[in-house]
Amino acid sequence: MVERRKPIRIKDAIELVMEWKCRGEIEWVSIDECDDRFLGEDICADHDVPPFNRSPYDGFAIRSKDTYLANQSNPIQFEIIDEIGAGQVSFKNIGPFQAIRIMTGAAIPTGADCVIMLELVKEIQINHKNYISIKRKLKPGENISFQGEDAKQGQTLIEKGMMINPGVKALLATFGYDKVPVIRKPVVGVIATGTELLKVNEPLVPGKIRNSNGYMVESQILRSGAIYKRYENQVDEIESLLSVVKQALDECDLVITTGGVSVGDYDLLPHIYEKLGAKVLFNKIAMRPGSVTTVANCKGKLLYGLSGNPSACYVGFELYVRPIIRYWLYSQKPYLRKAKARLQTDFPKANPFNRFVRSKLTYEGDRCLVEPVGLDKSNVVTSIAWADCLMVLPGSTRGYSKDDLVDILLIDDQIGSEEPWIEIERSTKL
Amino acid sequence: MVERRKPIRIKDAIELVMEWKCRGEIEWVSIDECDDRFLGEDICADHDVPPFNRSPYDGFAIRSKDTYLANQSNPIQFEIIDEIGAGQVSFKNIGPFQAIRIMTGAAIPTGADCVIMLELVKEIQINHKNYISIKRKLKPGENISFQGEDAKQGQTLIEKGMMINPGVKALLATFGYDKVPVIRKPVVGVIATGTELLKVNEPLVPGKIRNSNGYMVESQILRSGAIYKRYENQVDEIESLLSVVKQALDECDLVITTGGVSVGDYDLLPHIYEKLGAKVLFNKIAMRPGSVTTVANCKGKLLYGLSGNPSACYVGFELYVRPIIRYWLYSQKPYLRKAKARLQTDFPKANPFNRFVRSKLTYEGDRCLVEPVGLDKSNVVTSIAWADCLMVLPGSTRGYSKDDLVDILLIDDQIGSEEPWIEIERSTKL
């Protein structure tokens, strides 16, 4: 007799998985290896930025009150008493009608309260002394970048859990982080199962196909910010599979198998969960593709049984594995980023299931448009390559039409969402 | 006398740079190292996918014509004559009222033209023989994934220049690419200049700041798909700087300096270009920040003089360096992806210059909204970390208001645009 499984809601599946979420620990890496890692501590300013009042331009530091009477018909002359290159400081004090030549980025000398740009002065010599002539009035503080205006000492600039992008890296350098605290990447074990699977370098033989799911999932793991550990493809034989799953659970932070989770005679994963004494959180979800996505927990570690169908496997990963990885990395937005878009094609046929359709987002004016890419059968690999989002079509007794407003989940995005996409009660067919 | 530079349009600057674009050569890497690389050859299907007619479900392969009379009150029995696991093939031929048990993914046996799902049959035994009983009619081809329906042999599936994402990697595995042809990453030399610069691990001293631009640019280089080669920070001394720039031009595919490109006494890059005999393509652009962005060409190699101001440096990279790198990688969309969004704040002050404002994109319904992040002074580093787009505010005699529709350029996006953002003639102040 075939086992009849009871599908649960996406919402409930996510909740059951997230009960087992945990946070990773900090490790320190060189600033040269920190790109795309997730910050393990807040970045606080240990000094003001800028660290001193400085000039944003090449020009002359002067006292603004000396320019009070300057205008086009009344140029005022200032004696040049010193010159400050960037990185240098002047020990001279600016007195009345004195000027110090100053370079971009250099510290404003004592006594000065403004800078006039190089382009706005005329340099002259009188009695072998150098002067500038100024024809406009300056305000106190004009052309000065004030100490601390970018960041005040002690201020938290970036919170932990943020992915390190070029701007974050610049901040790390500014505050002297030659070693950067990042969250250790979780290690995700990957075991592809199925007697039909060939290795990538094996020639095709009748009835067999090459393992592509394993490579796809590994790439998804990397994109999520984790690392993978690959185990040998497994034929549908229970003892060897059990032994590899045990080994992976010992060696990894979480484990993914692909294939073998359905109800057929060769679907061994249900038996593996039993033999492991793992608690199966769910083994059927009211969604397409990916309804057979199974998650179990074995001694606190998550063991994912993703479908052997490429698209089901792909969607199962993005909805249920990615948030666990991103939460581990302290992301405050572990779920796929959500948006809405106007559907560009008709889906006239009613479908009772919540569908995740591999799609492409385009922008027209300030509007988001979405259309499916290629076929949307769960075994079609090519469309995964072209998709940059998943369009969500909730189960419904009617179809969908062009210009309907639909939810989309962005899969290339690095920002994420605080909350997952979940179905509205009435749209769920269990 | 201060040099008066003539600013050129963004449009013209991009054209001048892109005249020197070139393509990288192919190198072969292991499929395990191909993530985020750019494909060096089209991926063609070397076999049909699926490679044979196969079953998408667990069930029984039968002849549809034998089910012609089946219905709820007239169950029809089929004798089970064989069983095919995934990866196996059956050498039996299905005759009238015979069935073969078939697993998901297995090849359809000879004689059968449809599959009935396991859940829809009743298994029975008669005289020690196994039968299934069927109560519904099936159509020819029902529940069969046909050979070549995903991809036909010889079909081009992915064109070169596409970035390898999880879906592309799955295709590579499917077609047996244990080695993958990718474009060699260009090597970009990075030289930070300025006597004021400290190394990241040096303590602050009066008048000096740590080099953050170099690290930021290196991170931008990685995000664009290239690799960097770092040279020692350079003080403002012409002979040593010249020698390092020469070395970098010898060793790298293109070279970036930060700082020293303005018209001040310590701005040495203009002198370096002269001594190198480099052709300066432009040294002033009608844009803010980044107006001093300079690009020269030395014996066919591009030499970028980016500003020492972090934001100017950042924008200069994204507008003028990124497309050269992406074109090198065979991307068909080398420029930043463009969209439009509704401005969320007022910019009441008129500004004659085309401004690129570090901003954040949010989605509301199917609409894109944009607002600036933090201050927008060109020396503010913190806002770069938070930005995911650049809002473009063309130079104008009036300001901008909330709800105005503005152009945005997405900086975290991996898709890009075929055409760059360019100013409309009337909006350009030169």
Side-chain angles (χ1 to χ4, degrees):
Chain A
M1 188 56 210
V2 179
E3 177 197 352
R4 302 270 166 203
R5 293 178 177 176
K6 186 175 153 44
I8 65 169
R9 289 187 176 85
I10 294 166
K11 174 179 181 295
D12 298 329
I14 291 173
E15 263 178 27
L16 285 167
V17 169
M18 293 306 278
E19 276 177 18
W20 295 95
K21 70 188 182 210
C22 58
R23 301 287 202 183
E25 65 272 30
I26 288 173
E27 65 182 11
W28 291 77
V29 299
S30 158
I31 189 170
D32 297 329
E33 283 150 20
C34 76
D35 296 272
D36 296 337
R37 297 295 299 264
F38 287 73
L39 267 180
E41 290 180 0
D42 296 349
I43 304 182
C44 286
D46 71 345
H47 64 269
D48 289 338
V49 180
F52 42 83
N53 293 348
R54 71 181 172 200
S55 177
Y57 300 114
D58 275 329
F60 290 88
I62 53 175
R63 308 187 329 164
S64 60
K65 61 182 165 191
D66 299 335
T67 67
Y68 187 59
L69 297 171
N71 61 42
Q72 285 300 319
S73 52
N74 185 38
I76 293 180
Q77 286 160 13
F78 291 73
E79 186 191 352
I80 305 174
I81 60 164
D82 200 0
E83 172 173 322
I84 319 173
Q88 299 171 351
V89 286
S90 174
F91 298 102
K92 292 197 177 151
N93 186 56
I94 288 191
F97 302 101
Q98 292 186 326
I100 291 184
R101 175 84 175 89
I102 191 168
M103 309 305 152
T104 307
I108 305 294
T110 325
D113 68 351
C114 66
V115 170
I116 185 159
M117 288 169 75
L118 199 56
E119 292 89 331
L120 298 176
V121 306
K122 198 174 145 188
E123 293 185 62
I124 45 182
Q125 272 210 336
I126 306 173
N127 297 334
H128 305 292
K129 282 186 175 174
N130 293 311
Y131 289 82
I132 52 170
S133 167
I134 294 180
K135 286 183 172 175
R136 62 181 291 259
K137 193 177 151 185
L138 278 91
K139 288 190 287 277
E142 195 163 341
N143 293 333
I144 291 184
S145 297
F146 287 100
Q147 178 174 342
E149 75 175 17
D150 278 15
K152 288 249 177 285
Q153 184 175 359
Q155 189 183 344
T156 297
L157 301 174
I158 305 284
E159 290 182 1
K160 70 178 165 189
M162 181 155 176
M163 201 181 79
I164 297 173
N165 63 27
V168 176
K169 197 171 182 183
L171 282 175
L172 290 166
T174 300
F175 295 112
Y177 285 85
D178 56 333
K179 297 277 179 195
V180 179
V182 296
I183 304 295
R184 175 177 74 77
K185 295 181 177 196
V187 179
V188 185
V190 177
I191 306 167
T193 80
T195 306
E196 77 276 20
L197 297 183
L198 299 169
K199 288 186 191 161
V200 67
N201 58 356
E202 287 182 304
L204 285 186
V205 294
K208 301 210 173 191
I209 56 168
R210 295 198 189 93
N211 167 30
S212 60
N213 279 352
Y215 287 94
M216 182 183 69
V217 164
E218 287 165 5
S219 189
Q220 290 176 284
I221 290 168
L222 296 176
R223 184 166 68 180
S224 302
I227 51 178
Y228 63 85
K229 185 169 167 66
R230 181 187 305 160
Y231 293 87
E232 278 288 299
N233 295 351
Q234 293 297 306
V235 295
D236 300 321
E237 196 283 300
I238 198 154
E239 286 310 320
S240 58
L241 180 54
L242 180 63
S243 135
V244 169
V245 171
K246 276 183 178 165
Q247 187 193 344
L249 282 167
D250 278 347
E251 295 174 345
C252 305
D253 297 301
L254 53 151
V255 175
I256 293 173
T257 61
T258 65
V261 282
S262 195
V263 293
D265 309 351
Y266 291 82
D267 287 310
L268 299 181
L269 267 301
H271 306 292
I272 297 287
Y273 303 136
E274 209 180 304
K275 282 184 183 278
L276 284 169
K279 178 178 154 56
V280 175
L281 307 183
F282 52 82
N283 58 20
K284 190 144 197 174
I285 312 172
M287 62 181 272
R288 297 286 187 280
S291 65
V292 297
T293 306
T294 300
V295 184
N297 188 284
C298 188
K299 296 171 194 152
K301 285 185 181 172
L302 288 168
L303 175 55
Y304 288 86
L306 300 183
S307 168
N309 271 329
S311 298
C313 180
Y314 186 83
V315 172
F317 182 95
E318 295 296 328
L319 295 193
Y320 306 105
V321 186
R322 184 187 193 276
I324 283 289
I325 292 174
R326 285 290 165 102
Y327 186 89
W328 173 288
L329 295 167
Y330 275 85
S331 169
Q332 292 173 10
K333 298 182 171 181
Y335 301 100
L336 292 173
R337 190 171 189 180
K338 293 179 284 186
K340 285 181 192 287
R342 296 277 160 197
L343 188 48
Q344 293 307 292
T345 42
D346 291 329
F347 277 76
K349 224 173 132 182
N351 192 311
F353 298 105
N354 294 305
R355 279 177 296 166
F356 293 85
V357 183
R358 297 174 295 287
S359 302
K360 217 166 168 48
L361 164 67
T362 51
Y363 297 102
E364 191 178 275
D366 62 338
R367 299 247 167 181
C368 299
L369 311 179
V370 66
E371 59 185 330
V373 281
L375 293 164
D376 191 53
K377 298 178 71 167
S378 63
N379 55 351
V380 175
V381 181
T382 43
S383 64
I384 299 177
W386 288 110
D388 59 11
C389 64
L390 297 170
M391 163 164 52
V392 192
L393 297 178
S396 160
T397 51
R398 57 165 198 89
Y400 290 87
S401 318
K402 189 168 185 307
D403 284 330
D404 279 356
L405 192 63
V406 295
D407 289 326
I408 57 173
L409 303 175
L410 308 183
I411 50 186
D412 273 343
D413 157 88
Q414 288 299 348
I415 291 173
S417 172
E418 279 172 48
E419 298 294 333
W421 183 91
I422 54 170
E423 60 273 82
I424 301 161
E425 293 301 308
R426 62 179 163 70
S427 73
T428 311
K429 156 120 181 168
L430 292 183
Chain B
M1 188 55 208
V2 179
E3 178 196 351
R4 301 268 168 206
R5 292 179 177 175
K6 186 173 152 44
I8 65 168
R9 288 187 177 83
I10 294 166
K11 176 179 180 295
D12 298 329
I14 291 173
E15 262 178 29
L16 285 168
V17 169
M18 293 307 278
E19 275 177 20
W20 295 94
K21 70 187 182 213
C22 57
R23 302 286 203 184
E25 64 274 29
I26 288 173
E27 65 182 10
W28 292 77
V29 298
S30 157
I31 189 171
D32 298 329
E33 283 150 21
C34 76
D35 296 271
D36 297 337
R37 297 294 301 263
F38 286 74
L39 268 180
E41 289 180 1
D42 295 349
I43 304 182
C44 286
D46 72 345
H47 64 269
D48 289 338
V49 180
F52 42 83
N53 292 348
R54 71 181 171 198
S55 176
Y57 300 114
D58 275 329
F60 291 89
I62 53 176
R63 309 188 326 165
S64 60
K65 61 183 165 192
D66 297 336
T67 67
Y68 187 58
L69 296 172
N71 61 44
Q72 285 300 319
S73 52
N74 184 39
I76 293 180
Q77 287 160 10
F78 291 73
E79 186 190 352
I80 305 174
I81 61 164
D82 201 2
E83 173 174 321
I84 319 173
Q88 299 172 351
V89 286
S90 173
F91 297 104
K92 292 197 176 149
N93 187 55
I94 288 191
F97 302 100
Q98 292 185 327
I100 291 183
R101 175 84 175 89
I102 192 167
M103 309 304 153
T104 308
I108 305 293
T110 326
D113 67 353
C114 65
V115 170
I116 185 159
M117 289 170 76
L118 199 57
E119 291 89 332
L120 299 176
V121 306
K122 198 174 144 191
E123 293 185 61
I124 45 182
Q125 272 210 338
I126 305 171
N127 297 331
H128 307 290
K129 282 186 172 173
N130 293 312
Y131 289 82
I132 51 171
S133 167
I134 294 180
K135 287 183 170 175
R136 62 181 290 258
K137 193 176 151 185
L138 278 90
K139 290 192 286 275
E142 195 162 342
N143 293 333
I144 291 183
S145 296
F146 286 100
Q147 179 174 341
E149 75 174 17
D150 278 16
K152 288 252 177 285
Q153 184 176 357
Q155 189 184 342
T156 297
L157 301 174
I158 305 284
E159 290 184 1
K160 69 177 166 189
M162 181 156 177
M163 201 181 78
I164 297 173
N165 62 28
V168 175
K169 197 171 183 185
L171 282 174
L172 290 166
T174 300
F175 295 112
Y177 285 85
D178 56 334
K179 297 276 179 195
V180 179
V182 296
I183 305 295
R184 175 177 74 76
K185 296 181 177 194
V187 179
V188 185
V190 177
I191 307 167
T193 81
T195 306
E196 77 277 22
L197 297 184
L198 299 168
K199 287 185 191 162
V200 66
N201 58 354
E202 287 181 305
L204 286 185
V205 293
K208 300 208 173 193
I209 57 167
R210 295 200 187 92
N211 167 31
S212 61
N213 280 351
Y215 287 93
M216 181 182 70
V217 164
E218 286 165 6
S219 190
Q220 289 176 285
I221 290 168
L222 297 176
R223 183 168 68 181
S224 302
I227 51 178
Y228 65 83
K229 187 170 166 63
R230 181 187 305 161
Y231 294 87
E232 280 286 300
N233 295 350
Q234 292 298 305
V235 297
D236 300 320
E237 195 284 300
I238 197 153
E239 285 311 319
S240 59
L241 180 55
L242 180 63
S243 135
V244 170
V245 171
K246 275 184 178 164
Q247 186 192 345
L249 281 166
D250 277 346
E251 295 173 345
C252 304
D253 297 302
L254 53 151
V255 175
I256 293 173
T257 61
T258 64
V261 281
S262 195
V263 294
D265 309 350
Y266 291 82
D267 287 308
L268 298 182
L269 267 301
H271 306 292
I272 297 286
Y273 303 136
E274 208 179 305
K275 282 184 183 278
L276 284 170
K279 177 177 153 58
V280 175
L281 307 182
F282 51 82
N283 58 19
K284 189 145 198 172
I285 311 173
M287 62 181 271
R288 297 286 186 280
S291 66
V292 298
T293 306
T294 300
V295 183
N297 189 284
C298 188
K299 295 173 196 150
K301 286 185 182 172
L302 287 169
L303 175 55
Y304 288 86
L306 300 183
S307 168
N309 271 328
S311 298
C313 180
Y314 186 84
V315 172
F317 182 95
E318 295 296 330
L319 295 193
Y320 305 106
V321 186
R322 185 188 193 277
I324 283 289
I325 291 174
R326 285 291 167 100
Y327 185 89
W328 172 289
L329 295 168
Y330 273 87
S331 169
Q332 291 174 11
K333 298 182 171 180
Y335 303 99
L336 291 173
R337 190 171 189 181
K338 293 179 286 186
K340 284 181 192 288
R342 296 277 161 196
L343 188 48
Q344 294 305 292
T345 43
D346 291 329
F347 276 76
K349 222 173 135 182
N351 192 312
F353 298 104
N354 294 305
R355 279 176 296 166
F356 293 85
V357 183
R358 296 174 295 288
S359 303
K360 216 166 169 47
L361 165 67
T362 50
Y363 296 102
E364 191 179 275
D366 63 336
R367 298 244 168 185
C368 298
L369 310 180
V370 65
E371 58 186 331
V373 282
L375 291 163
D376 191 54
K377 298 178 72 166
S378 64
N379 55 350
V380 176
V381 181
T382 44
S383 65
I384 299 176
W386 288 111
D388 59 11
C389 66
L390 296 170
M391 164 164 51
V392 193
L393 298 179
S396 161
T397 50
R398 57 165 199 93
Y400 291 87
S401 319
K402 190 168 185 307
D403 285 330
D404 278 357
L405 193 62
V406 296
D407 289 326
I408 57 173
L409 303 175
L410 307 183
I411 50 186
D412 272 343
D413 158 89
Q414 287 299 349
I415 290 172
S417 171
E418 279 172 51
E419 298 294 334
W421 183 91
I422 55 169
E423 60 273 82
I424 301 161
E425 293 301 309
R426 64 180 161 70
S427 72
T428 310
K429 156 124 184 166
L430 291 183

